[in-house]
Amino acid sequence: MSNILAVHASPRGDRSHSRRLAEVFLSAWKARNPQSTLTRREVGRALIPPVNEAFVAAAFYPEPDARPLSMRADLAFSDQLVSELLGHDLLVISTPMHNFSIPSGLKAWIDQIVRLGLTFNHTLDNGVAQYEPLVKGKKALIVTSRGGFGFGPGGELEAMNHADPLLRTALGFIGITDITVVAAEGEESEARTFQISAAEAEQRLLALAREF
Ligand SMILES: Cc1cc2nc3c(=O)[nH]c(=O)nc-3n(C[C@H](O)[C@H](O)[C@H](O)COP(=O)(O)O)c2cc1C
């Protein structure tokens, strides 16, 4: 791996567990890969514009090469986010679980980078929509923190987890299917519960920094 795009989604800064855990991976990885680049994209404490009517009209304009200038302007920030994503090998997303899903800033980022003609294609096969992912050769690491416990695979609350499964689906749709999720759970339980879970997550992240 030669470079990382780190997307940070918590509205919290220094108090954020998902940010702190992501740093465990990022600093270990950076120490092992000093020549590599690390780019950060803030989506939790900076406004990522939500999709609006102008964006939809421009993004799905039938002749992309003939888009009027005003439409190009409507897509300029999205174009920038897409080329930022395409310019990196490993995507690291740090995010809390918010109301069983992801924070709205991260959803807005997803909506900006899932782009017809750039990250996926759409065709009709006998009138039936077919989708083709356009992003190749990338991996993703999702580092997440949750207040509750048991949202992981096989856990009691797995069916209520619409956070990392949403990211897996959306990233998979554009072609990023090699995805690893590392979660710390139980921040809202007694301190010891979260300490154990976070320590396990840290060990896993340190191992991944050696593998990636
Ligand atoms: C608005 C909001 C919604 C939350 N929703 C959930 C939830 O649905 N499930 C859960 O387990 N924890 C939930 N939590 C708790 C956070 O996931 C938990 O505090 C997490 O550690 C925060 O990560 P951060 O420190 O990186 O911000 C929520 C917290 C906030 C502020």
CSV table of all heavy atoms in Angstrom, one decimal, residues 43 46-57 74-75 77-78 81 103-113:
chain,number,residue,atom,x,y,z
A,43,VAL,N,-15.3,14.9,7.6
A,43,VAL,CA,-16.7,14.9,7.3
A,43,VAL,C,-17.6,15.0,8.5
A,43,VAL,O,-18.9,15.1,8.4
A,43,VAL,CB,-17.1,13.7,6.4
A,43,VAL,CG1,-16.3,13.6,5.2
A,43,VAL,CG2,-17.1,12.4,7.2
A,46,ALA,N,-16.9,19.2,9.6
A,46,ALA,CA,-17.0,20.1,8.5
A,46,ALA,C,-18.2,19.7,7.7
A,46,ALA,O,-18.6,18.6,7.6
A,46,ALA,CB,-15.7,20.0,7.6
A,47,LEU,N,-18.8,20.7,7.0
A,47,LEU,CA,-20.1,20.4,6.3
A,47,LEU,C,-19.8,19.8,5.0
A,47,LEU,O,-19.2,20.4,4.1
A,47,LEU,CB,-20.9,21.7,6.2
A,47,LEU,CG,-22.3,21.4,5.6
A,47,LEU,CD1,-23.2,20.6,6.5
A,47,LEU,CD2,-23.0,22.7,5.2
A,48,ILE,N,-20.3,18.6,4.8
A,48,ILE,CA,-20.3,18.0,3.4
A,48,ILE,C,-21.7,18.3,2.9
A,48,ILE,O,-22.7,17.8,3.5
A,48,ILE,CB,-20.0,16.5,3.5
A,48,ILE,CG1,-18.7,16.2,4.1
A,48,ILE,CG2,-20.1,15.9,2.1
A,48,ILE,CD1,-17.5,16.8,3.4
A,49,PRO,N,-21.9,19.0,1.7
A,49,PRO,CA,-23.2,19.3,1.3
A,49,PRO,C,-24.1,18.1,1.0
A,49,PRO,O,-23.6,17.1,0.4
A,49,PRO,CB,-23.0,20.1,0.0
A,49,PRO,CG,-21.5,20.3,-0.1
A,49,PRO,CD,-20.8,19.4,0.8
A,50,PRO,N,-25.3,18.1,1.5
A,50,PRO,CA,-26.2,17.0,1.2
A,50,PRO,C,-26.6,17.1,-0.3
A,50,PRO,O,-26.6,18.2,-0.9
A,50,PRO,CB,-27.4,17.3,2.1
A,50,PRO,CG,-27.4,18.7,2.4
A,50,PRO,CD,-26.0,19.2,2.3
A,51,VAL,N,-27.1,16.0,-0.9
A,51,VAL,CA,-27.6,16.0,-2.2
A,51,VAL,C,-28.8,17.0,-2.3
A,51,VAL,O,-29.7,16.9,-1.5
A,51,VAL,CB,-28.0,14.6,-2.6
A,51,VAL,CG1,-28.9,14.6,-3.9
A,51,VAL,CG2,-26.7,13.8,-2.8
A,52,ASN,N,-28.8,17.8,-3.4
A,52,ASN,CA,-29.9,18.7,-3.6
A,52,ASN,C,-30.4,18.5,-5.1
A,52,ASN,O,-29.8,17.7,-5.8
A,52,ASN,CB,-29.7,20.2,-3.2
A,52,ASN,CG,-28.5,20.7,-4.1
A,52,ASN,OD1,-28.1,20.1,-5.1
A,52,ASN,ND2,-28.0,21.8,-3.6
A,53,GLU,N,-31.4,19.3,-5.5
A,53,GLU,CA,-31.9,19.1,-6.8
A,53,GLU,C,-30.9,19.4,-7.9
A,53,GLU,O,-30.8,18.7,-8.9
A,53,GLU,CB,-33.2,19.9,-7.0
A,53,GLU,CG,-33.9,19.7,-8.3
A,53,GLU,CD,-35.3,20.2,-8.4
A,53,GLU,OE1,-35.8,20.8,-7.5
A,53,GLU,OE2,-35.9,20.0,-9.5
A,54,ALA,N,-30.1,20.4,-7.7
A,54,ALA,CA,-29.1,20.8,-8.7
A,54,ALA,C,-28.1,19.7,-8.9
A,54,ALA,O,-27.7,19.4,-10.0
A,54,ALA,CB,-28.5,22.1,-8.3
A,55,PHE,N,-27.7,19.1,-7.7
A,55,PHE,CA,-26.7,18.0,-7.8
A,55,PHE,C,-27.3,16.8,-8.6
A,55,PHE,O,-26.6,16.2,-9.5
A,55,PHE,CB,-26.4,17.5,-6.4
A,55,PHE,CG,-25.4,16.4,-6.3
A,55,PHE,CD1,-24.1,16.6,-6.2
A,55,PHE,CD2,-25.9,15.1,-6.4
A,55,PHE,CE1,-23.2,15.5,-6.2
A,55,PHE,CE2,-25.1,14.0,-6.4
A,55,PHE,CZ,-23.7,14.2,-6.2
A,56,VAL,N,-28.5,16.5,-8.3
A,56,VAL,CA,-29.2,15.3,-9.0
A,56,VAL,C,-29.2,15.6,-10.5
A,56,VAL,O,-28.9,14.7,-11.3
A,56,VAL,CB,-30.6,15.0,-8.4
A,56,VAL,CG1,-31.2,13.9,-9.2
A,56,VAL,CG2,-30.5,14.7,-6.9
A,57,ALA,N,-29.7,16.8,-10.9
A,57,ALA,CA,-29.8,17.1,-12.3
A,57,ALA,C,-28.5,17.1,-13.0
A,57,ALA,O,-28.4,16.5,-14.1
A,57,ALA,CB,-30.4,18.5,-12.4
A,74,ASP,N,-21.9,22.8,-10.1
A,74,ASP,CA,-22.7,22.1,-9.1
A,74,ASP,C,-22.0,20.8,-8.7
A,74,ASP,O,-22.2,20.2,-7.6
A,74,ASP,CB,-24.1,21.8,-9.5
A,74,ASP,CG,-25.0,23.0,-9.7
A,74,ASP,OD1,-24.7,23.9,-8.9
A,74,ASP,OD2,-25.8,23.1,-10.6
A,75,LEU,N,-21.2,20.2,-9.5
A,75,LEU,CA,-20.5,18.9,-9.3
A,75,LEU,C,-19.0,19.1,-8.8
A,75,LEU,O,-18.4,18.1,-8.6
A,75,LEU,CB,-20.6,18.0,-10.5
A,75,LEU,CG,-22.0,17.6,-10.9
A,75,LEU,CD1,-21.9,16.7,-12.2
A,75,LEU,CD2,-22.6,16.7,-9.8
A,77,PHE,N,-17.4,20.1,-6.2
A,77,PHE,CA,-16.9,19.6,-4.9
A,77,PHE,C,-16.9,18.0,-5.0
A,77,PHE,O,-16.0,17.3,-4.5
A,77,PHE,CB,-17.7,20.1,-3.8
A,77,PHE,CG,-17.2,19.7,-2.4
A,77,PHE,CD1,-15.9,19.9,-2.1
A,77,PHE,CD2,-18.0,19.1,-1.5
A,77,PHE,CE1,-15.4,19.5,-0.8
A,77,PHE,CE2,-17.6,18.7,-0.3
A,77,PHE,CZ,-16.2,18.9,0.1
A,78,SER,N,-18.0,17.5,-5.5
A,78,SER,CA,-18.1,16.1,-5.7
A,78,SER,C,-17.0,15.5,-6.5
A,78,SER,O,-16.4,14.5,-6.2
A,78,SER,CB,-19.5,15.7,-6.3
A,78,SER,OG,-19.5,14.4,-6.7
A,81,LEU,N,-14.0,15.3,-4.4
A,81,LEU,CA,-14.0,14.2,-3.5
A,81,LEU,C,-13.8,12.8,-4.2
A,81,LEU,O,-13.1,11.9,-3.7
A,81,LEU,CB,-15.3,14.1,-2.7
A,81,LEU,CG,-15.6,15.3,-1.8
A,81,LEU,CD1,-17.0,15.1,-1.1
A,81,LEU,CD2,-14.5,15.4,-0.7
A,103,PRO,N,-23.1,8.8,10.9
A,103,PRO,CA,-23.4,10.2,11.1
A,103,PRO,C,-23.8,10.8,9.7
A,103,PRO,O,-23.3,10.3,8.7
A,103,PRO,CB,-22.1,10.8,11.6
A,103,PRO,CG,-21.4,9.7,12.2
A,103,PRO,CD,-21.7,8.5,11.4
A,104,SER,N,-24.6,11.8,9.7
A,104,SER,CA,-25.1,12.4,8.4
A,104,SER,C,-23.9,12.9,7.5
A,104,SER,O,-24.0,12.8,6.3
A,104,SER,CB,-26.1,13.5,8.7
A,104,SER,OG,-25.5,14.5,9.5
A,105,GLY,N,-22.9,13.4,8.1
A,105,GLY,CA,-21.7,13.9,7.3
A,105,GLY,C,-21.1,12.8,6.5
A,105,GLY,O,-20.7,13.0,5.3
A,106,LEU,N,-21.0,11.6,7.1
A,106,LEU,CA,-20.4,10.5,6.4
A,106,LEU,C,-21.4,10.0,5.3
A,106,LEU,O,-21.0,9.7,4.2
A,106,LEU,CB,-20.1,9.3,7.3
A,106,LEU,CG,-19.4,8.1,6.7
A,106,LEU,CD1,-18.2,8.4,5.9
A,106,LEU,CD2,-19.1,7.1,7.8
A,107,LYS,N,-22.7,10.0,5.6
A,107,LYS,CA,-23.7,9.7,4.5
A,107,LYS,C,-23.6,10.7,3.4
A,107,LYS,O,-23.6,10.3,2.2
A,107,LYS,CB,-25.1,9.6,5.1
A,107,LYS,CG,-26.2,9.4,4.1
A,107,LYS,CD,-26.0,8.0,3.4
A,107,LYS,CE,-27.2,7.5,2.7
A,107,LYS,NZ,-27.7,8.5,1.7
A,108,ALA,N,-23.4,12.0,3.7
A,108,ALA,CA,-23.3,13.0,2.7
A,108,ALA,C,-22.1,12.7,1.8
A,108,ALA,O,-22.1,12.9,0.6
A,108,ALA,CB,-23.3,14.4,3.3
A,109,TRP,N,-21.0,12.3,2.5
A,109,TRP,CA,-19.7,12.0,1.7
A,109,TRP,C,-20.0,10.9,0.7
A,109,TRP,O,-19.6,10.9,-0.4
A,109,TRP,CB,-18.6,11.7,2.7
A,109,TRP,CG,-17.3,11.4,2.0
A,109,TRP,CD1,-16.4,12.3,1.5
A,109,TRP,CD2,-16.7,10.1,1.8
A,109,TRP,NE1,-15.3,11.6,0.9
A,109,TRP,CE2,-15.5,10.3,1.1
A,109,TRP,CE3,-17.2,8.8,2.0
A,109,TRP,CZ2,-14.7,9.2,0.7
A,109,TRP,CZ3,-16.4,7.7,1.6
A,109,TRP,CH2,-15.2,7.9,1.0
A,110,ILE,N,-20.6,9.8,1.3
A,110,ILE,CA,-21.0,8.7,0.4
A,110,ILE,C,-21.8,9.1,-0.8
A,110,ILE,O,-21.5,8.8,-2.0
A,110,ILE,CB,-21.8,7.6,1.2
A,110,ILE,CG1,-20.9,6.9,2.2
A,110,ILE,CG2,-22.4,6.6,0.3
A,110,ILE,CD1,-19.9,5.9,1.7
A,111,ASP,N,-22.8,10.0,-0.5
A,111,ASP,CA,-23.6,10.5,-1.6
A,111,ASP,C,-22.8,11.3,-2.7
A,111,ASP,O,-23.2,11.4,-3.8
A,111,ASP,CB,-24.8,11.3,-1.1
A,111,ASP,CG,-25.8,10.5,-0.3
A,111,ASP,OD1,-25.8,9.3,-0.5
A,111,ASP,OD2,-26.6,11.1,0.5
A,112,GLN,N,-21.8,11.9,-2.2
A,112,GLN,CA,-20.9,12.7,-3.1
A,112,GLN,C,-20.0,11.8,-4.0
A,112,GLN,O,-19.5,12.3,-5.0
A,112,GLN,CB,-20.1,13.7,-2.4
A,112,GLN,CG,-20.9,14.8,-1.6
A,112,GLN,CD,-21.5,15.8,-2.5
A,112,GLN,OE1,-21.1,16.0,-3.6
A,112,GLN,NE2,-22.5,16.5,-2.0
A,113,ILE,N,-19.6,10.7,-3.4
A,113,ILE,CA,-18.6,9.9,-4.2
A,113,ILE,C,-19.2,8.7,-5.0
A,113,ILE,O,-18.5,8.1,-5.8
A,113,ILE,CB,-17.4,9.4,-3.2
A,113,ILE,CG1,-18.0,8.6,-2.0
A,113,ILE,CG2,-16.6,10.5,-2.7
A,113,ILE,CD1,-17.7,7.1,-2.2
